[in-house]
Amino acid sequence: MTTEYQHIVVAVDGSKASEKAFKKAIAIAKRNNAQLIISHVVDTKTISTAETYDQSLINRSETYATQLLEDYQRQASAKGVTNAETHIDYGSPKVRIPKHVAKKFDADLIICGATGLNAVERFLIGSVSENITRYASCDVLVVRSEQDEDE
């Protein structure tokens, strides 16, 4: 039995780790002739302050996300991925990616970068990639960067 992925979600945030995950996602999407969903979650917890929602910060975050995703979509097209689309979501990336984005697109694979959190941060809040792995109902590929391998 050969397993082919048909709907691949790649989570991107502009970091080196997500850049590496995106490059791997392109290769896997091409090999499987799969749909590639390039997703960015605007982390609303980091935008909201104690009393108010900072609308200008939300607007800047949306502009950044749109530009980031358009750039990734251009790269995917240039590399020969014919079925790629972008998706912006809002909330906590570690929850939204596995529980909402993956379900919305019927993903059978989620690809994300390993985060560079230190041991204390991982203990307190857990990394995004750990949570995606824990809550996803499909396969998850966590792509390590060179820095992660040195730790």
Side-chain angles (χ1 to χ4, degrees):
M1 178 177 107
T2 60
T3 303
E4 283 195 8
Y5 295 111
Q6 296 176 334
H7 308 282
I8 300 169
V9 168
V10 59
V12 296
D13 62 7
S15 68
K16 289 277 183 233
S18 78
E19 177 78 25
K20 199 162 181 189
F22 174 72
K23 287 179 177 166
K24 195 154 280 198
I26 285 178
I28 294 169
K30 282 175 65 175
R31 232 181 3 252
N32 289 271
N33 196 26
Q35 176 190 30
L36 182 62
I37 299 96
I38 308 160
S39 182
H40 176 78
V41 177
V42 176
D43 192 344
T44 50
K45 268 199 273 219
T46 60
I47 293 173
S48 61
T49 59
E51 293 101 37
T52 62
Y53 235 44
D54 185 343
Q55 191 60 47
S56 70
L57 200 53
I58 291 169
N59 292 343
R60 283 200 304 271
S61 295
E62 287 177 338
T63 300
Y64 171 77
T66 302
Q67 290 171 344
L68 180 74
L69 292 175
E70 285 173 357
D71 182 51
Y72 277 131
Q73 187 158 25
R74 273 193 298 276
Q75 288 182 51
S77 285
K79 297 278 186 196
V81 175
T82 55
N83 187 3
E85 67 180 273
T86 60
H87 177 72
I88 297 176
D89 208 299
Y90 300 87
S92 169
K94 59 173 128 188
V95 174
R96 298 300 299 178
I97 294 287
K99 292 191 170 186
H100 299 277
V101 179
K103 283 185 173 52
K104 176 180 178 162
F105 290 97
D106 198 22
D108 43 21
L109 177 64
I110 300 170
I111 302 175
C112 60
T115 57
L117 292 178
N118 67 36
V120 174
E121 289 171 316
R122 245 193 319 269
F123 175 73
L124 293 174
I125 60 172
S127 74
V128 172
S129 57
E130 272 181 273
N131 277 274
I132 289 173
T133 304
R134 185 174 302 129
Y135 295 116
S137 57
C138 62
D139 291 352
V140 177
L141 174 60
V142 179
V143 179
R144 298 218 164 271
S145 65
E146 287 80 18
Q147 296 159 269
D148 297 327
E149 293 161 6
D150 294 341
E151 290 176 5

